[in-house]
């Protein structure tokens, strides 16, 4: 592609580069190939400008940067390298976002469940191929593509959208993280519809304050045509104040909301409620337990309304959707008289929601097994410790992903929130051993909640990822217990 075509529409401060043919775009100097344009980004860990010499040595022919580089380097100076990278991606891949109906969902909790549910509803109601971009995986129709972060870097995102266009996708449902909005990973994209689920303490290691975290989320609603908002969340006014789009509100408390969930009924295997929308009532049933599922359903149905889908058909499609891996996922426990659930809850609000939901239908004890991730917001650790002993009948504190931190120090910070509680608890750093302990001490009608890992199948310790699938751990323990019982005389 000609450099002039690649730079089309970009805000340029100055330049010292002739017209030339560009073979590709790279923002990591290690991936540069001969003839590439290199984008020097001031990253979170390192300044990309330091790697301009390496990029040139590997064959880069021009650099896009926020400051004029030293030496005889062809360059394009821009006011914001991240915005430039997004624009370069759109130009390189021929603006795939303009050929798709984009739907974004942001919030602390519920994004993954809501995107997967909406994908299913769209496929059933429209019969179209739907792409998905999210935490668990990216998907093109039924084909899954592994992912490393909730929202890919902007250039990679444009490439993924182009692949979705080529594969016949009409809609793309996307989790939009606060990092993605702050770092312009969705720069240049416009969403037909977007939704706000909720906001609770998370990612403060990055955003520093809840106000800045909320402001980051709110950016999405100046980039969409219609916004769907959870009116019951305390940060909803912040989102609405920033919205330049048409608004649709959802609530379980306020009958004046555009979508109102009345008579919510919780069961061990589903939730159902009466949805009031547009002067009509719809009976909603979804086979995933918990009050938070009612909120996720309202988010999905609000987006269905924003996309002009027939509400009757969307409600019926929601009834046919299956549970989401790692979200209130029931794990088989053959031969046992207790239940095991796996849930991704790794924030204070997420943990509180799942434990309260379980207590609402648990006939025995609610047992919580969880920890907190390393190299992440430390302030939430004692808060989650306190929630554990408040909402569960027994707690096993253990490791999540300690990453580069000392797991024992993380546990000390969690347990600080459980001091002076009458709820019994134990501390077992090794997560495998913690799961085994909970299973060995399981009693009739207990529900054991393994929280924090969800869909993940590895654990990061000292920067190294080790395989750990909690489903496998439960299956192995049950098989060994059943075998030992069979061998008894």
């Amino acid at each position: 592609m000609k450099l002039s075509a690649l730079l089309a529409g970009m805000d340029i401060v100055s330049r010292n580069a002739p017209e030339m043919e560009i073979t590709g775009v790279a923002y990591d100097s290690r991936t540069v190939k001969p003839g590439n344009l290199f984008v020097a980004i001031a990253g979170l860990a390192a300044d990309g400008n330091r790697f301009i010499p390496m990029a040139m040595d590997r064959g880069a022919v021009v650099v896009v940067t926020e400051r004029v580089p030293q030496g005889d380097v062809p360059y394009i100076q821009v006011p914001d390298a991240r915005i430039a990278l997004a624009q370069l991606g759109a130009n390189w891949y021929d603006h795939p976002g303009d050929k798709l109906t984009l739907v974004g969902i942001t919030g602390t909790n519920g994004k993954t469940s809501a995107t997967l549910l909406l994908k299913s509803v769209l496929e059933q109601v429209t019969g179209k191929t739907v792409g998905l971009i999210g935490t668990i995986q990216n998907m093109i129709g039924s084909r899954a593509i592994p992912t490393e972060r909730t929202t890919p870097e902007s250039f990679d995102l444009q490439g993924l959208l182009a692949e979705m266009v080529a594969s016949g996708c009409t809609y793309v449902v996307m989790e939009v993280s606060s990092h993605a909005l702050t770092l312009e990973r969705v720069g240049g994209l416009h969403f037909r519809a977007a939704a706000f689920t909720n906001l609770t303490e998370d990612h403060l290691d990055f955003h520093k304050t809840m106000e800045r975290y909320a402001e980051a989320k709110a950016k999405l609603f100046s980039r969409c045509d219609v916004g769907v908002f959870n009116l019951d969340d305390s940060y909803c006014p912040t989102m609405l104040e920033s919205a330049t789009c048409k608004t649709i509100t959802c609530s379980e408390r306020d009958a004046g909301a555009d979508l109102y969930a009345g008579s919510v009924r919780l069961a061990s295997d589903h939730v159902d409620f009466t949805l009031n929308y547009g002067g009509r009532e719809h009976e909603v049933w979804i086979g995933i337990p918990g009050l938070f599922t009612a909120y996720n359903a309202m988010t999905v149905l609000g987006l269905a309304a924003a996309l002009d889908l027939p509400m009757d058909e969307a409600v019926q499609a929601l009834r046919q959707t299956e549970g989401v891996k790692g979200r209130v996922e029931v794990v088989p426990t053959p031969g046992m008289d207790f239940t095991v659930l796996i849930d991704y809850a790794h924030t204070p609000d997420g943990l509180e929601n799942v434990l309260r939901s379980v207590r609402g239908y648990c006939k025995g004890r609610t047992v919580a097994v969880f920890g907190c991730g390393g190299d992440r917001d430390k302030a939430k650790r004692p808060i989650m410790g306190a929630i554990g002993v408040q909402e569960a009948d027994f707690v096993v504190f253990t490791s999540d992903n300690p990453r580069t931190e000392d797991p024992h120090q993380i546990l000390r910070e969690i347990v600080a929130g459980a001091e002076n509680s009458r709820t019994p608890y134990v501390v077992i750093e090794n997560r495998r051993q913690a799961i085994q302990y909970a299973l060995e001490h399981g009693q009739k009608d207990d529900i054991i909640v393994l929280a924090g890992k969800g869909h993940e199948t590895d654990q990061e310790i000292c920067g190294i990822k080790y395989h750990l699938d909690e489903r496998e751990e439960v299956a192995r323990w049950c098989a060994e217990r059943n075998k030992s019982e069979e061998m008894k005389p």
Side-chain angles (χ1 to χ4, degrees):
M1 177 181 285
K2 293 293 184 181
L3 178 61
S4 57
L6 190 55
L7 299 178
M10 283 179 52
D11 188 3
I12 296 174
V13 176
S14 67
R15 64 180 292 169
N16 180 27
E19 181 66 287
M20 63 182 82
E21 190 70 28
I22 301 298
T23 60
V25 176
Y27 57 89
D28 183 333
S29 60
R30 296 167 296 184
T31 66
V32 170
K33 294 181 174 58
N36 278 189
L37 177 150
F38 174 63
V39 184
I41 296 175
L44 301 179
D47 184 352
N49 290 278
R50 291 172 46 203
F51 301 99
I52 289 175
M54 180 186 295
M56 300 305 291
D57 288 344
R58 292 182 63 89
V61 293
V62 64
V63 173
V64 169
T65 176
E66 292 176 14
R67 59 178 186 264
V68 177
Q70 296 180 346
D72 186 20
V73 175
Y75 69 86
I76 306 294
Q77 185 185 12
V78 296
D80 190 313
R82 289 193 173 278
I83 292 176
L85 181 63
Q87 185 65 55
L88 289 166
N91 289 342
W92 182 263
Y93 289 106
D94 192 25
H95 301 272
D98 296 344
K99 304 167 187 176
L100 296 159
T101 297
L102 300 179
V103 184
I105 300 178
T106 196
T108 305
N109 299 306
K111 297 189 300 295
T112 299
S113 295
T115 51
L116 287 163
L117 292 172
L118 181 59
K119 179 178 185 293
S120 176
V121 168
L122 282 168
E123 288 170 338
Q124 292 180 65
V125 174
T126 70
K128 305 292 186 180
T129 301
V130 180
L132 181 141
I133 299 172
T135 302
I136 297 179
Q137 60 189 3
N138 299 325
M139 299 184 73
I140 300 177
S142 60
R143 178 164 67 91
I145 305 170
T147 182
E148 293 184 359
R149 51 165 64 112
T150 300
T151 313
E153 189 56 80
S154 61
F155 193 84
D156 303 321
L157 176 58
Q158 293 286 347
L160 181 57
L161 293 176
E163 186 178 355
M164 291 177 172
V165 170
S167 298
C169 289
T170 301
Y171 295 89
V172 172
V173 183
M174 185 189 312
E175 293 183 49
V176 184
S177 68
S178 56
H179 286 69
L181 289 159
T182 301
L183 301 176
E184 293 293 344
R185 291 178 189 160
V186 292
L189 294 179
H190 187 78
F191 295 82
R192 168 76 178 278
F196 167 68
T197 60
N198 51 64
L199 197 78
T200 61
E201 186 163 317
D202 198 18
H203 301 307
L204 296 192
D205 53 319
F206 179 75
H207 295 290
K208 307 306 180 186
T209 68
M210 286 297 293
E211 289 70 26
R212 289 173 62 181
Y213 183 28
E215 289 168 3
K217 295 286 190 185
K219 290 179 180 178
L220 181 59
F221 301 101
S222 62
R223 305 182 182 191
C224 66
D225 295 329
V226 186
V228 177
F229 301 88
N230 172 13
L231 207 56
D232 297 343
D233 188 86
S234 61
Y235 282 92
C236 190
T238 301
M239 303 299 142
L240 289 169
E241 286 170 10
S242 301
T244 59
C245 58
K246 176 184 176 182
T247 63
I248 295 176
T249 56
C250 305
S251 178
E252 187 258 337
R253 304 170 191 164
D254 185 350
D258 296 314
L259 282 85
Y260 170 63
S263 305
V264 177
R265 295 167 289 273
L266 306 179
S268 60
D269 62 345
H270 75 275
V271 62
D272 65 273
F273 59 90
T274 301
L275 176 73
N276 292 274
Y277 171 67
R280 291 187 56 196
E281 291 187 347
H282 305 265
E283 295 304 319
V284 179
W285 187 100
I286 182 169
I288 306 172
L291 179 59
F292 49 86
T293 297
Y295 280 100
N296 289 339
M298 278 194 289
T299 295
V300 170
L301 295 173
L303 288 168
L307 295 170
D308 298 320
L309 301 184
M311 187 58 68
D312 286 338
E313 294 182 32
V315 167
Q316 182 58 34
L318 202 56
R319 177 181 287 268
Q320 305 302 319
T321 58
E322 298 180 354
V324 179
K325 183 178 181 181
R327 272 62 177 178
V328 202
E329 178 186 350
V330 179
V331 183
T333 52
M336 305 299 124
D337 55 6
F338 54 77
T339 300
V340 175
L341 298 179
I342 289 177
D343 193 84
Y344 190 50
H346 61 287
T347 65
D349 184 64
L351 183 66
E352 184 176 41
N353 281 342
V354 72
L355 293 180
R356 281 189 178 179
S357 174
V358 167
R359 290 195 78 165
Y361 56 78
C362 181
K363 296 179 181 179
R365 300 179 305 164
T366 298
V367 179
V369 181
F370 72 94
C372 291
D375 302 331
R376 297 294 187 271
D377 179 18
K378 296 183 179 182
K380 70 181 181 182
R381 293 172 185 173
I383 298 172
M384 291 181 66
I387 289 171
V389 293
Q390 289 167 7
E391 302 298 337
D393 300 300
F394 183 74
V395 180
V396 182
F397 293 115
T398 186
S399 283
D400 193 312
N401 289 314
R403 297 184 178 88
T404 64
E405 282 196 68
D406 176 4
H408 296 284
Q409 178 58 32
I410 295 173
L411 281 166
R412 284 191 286 270
E413 294 172 11
I414 299 171
V415 173
E419 293 177 354
N420 303 319
S421 170
R422 295 183 179 181
T423 301
Y425 65 83
V426 296
V427 179
I428 303 174
E429 187 278 322
N430 184 289
R431 195 170 181 101
R432 278 194 175 87
Q433 294 176 6
I435 293 170
Q436 292 170 8
Y437 182 92
L439 296 172
E440 288 167 359
H441 292 81
Q443 299 175 11
K444 186 177 185 302
D445 295 328
D446 281 356
I447 297 181
I448 301 171
V449 181
L450 308 180
K453 299 293 290 175
H455 60 280
E456 297 176 354
T457 56
D458 54 43
Q459 184 177 29
E460 186 175 347
I461 304 172
C462 295
I464 300 173
K465 291 186 178 181
Y466 299 89
H467 181 73
L468 177 61
D469 188 327
E470 295 182 332
R471 298 153 197 78
E472 295 175 1
E473 296 301 314
V474 173
R476 185 181 301 112
W477 184 88
C478 289
E480 292 175 355
R481 176 56 59 91
N482 288 330
K483 184 177 180 179
S484 65
E485 289 295 322
E486 291 173 0
M487 295 178 66
K488 288 182 179 180

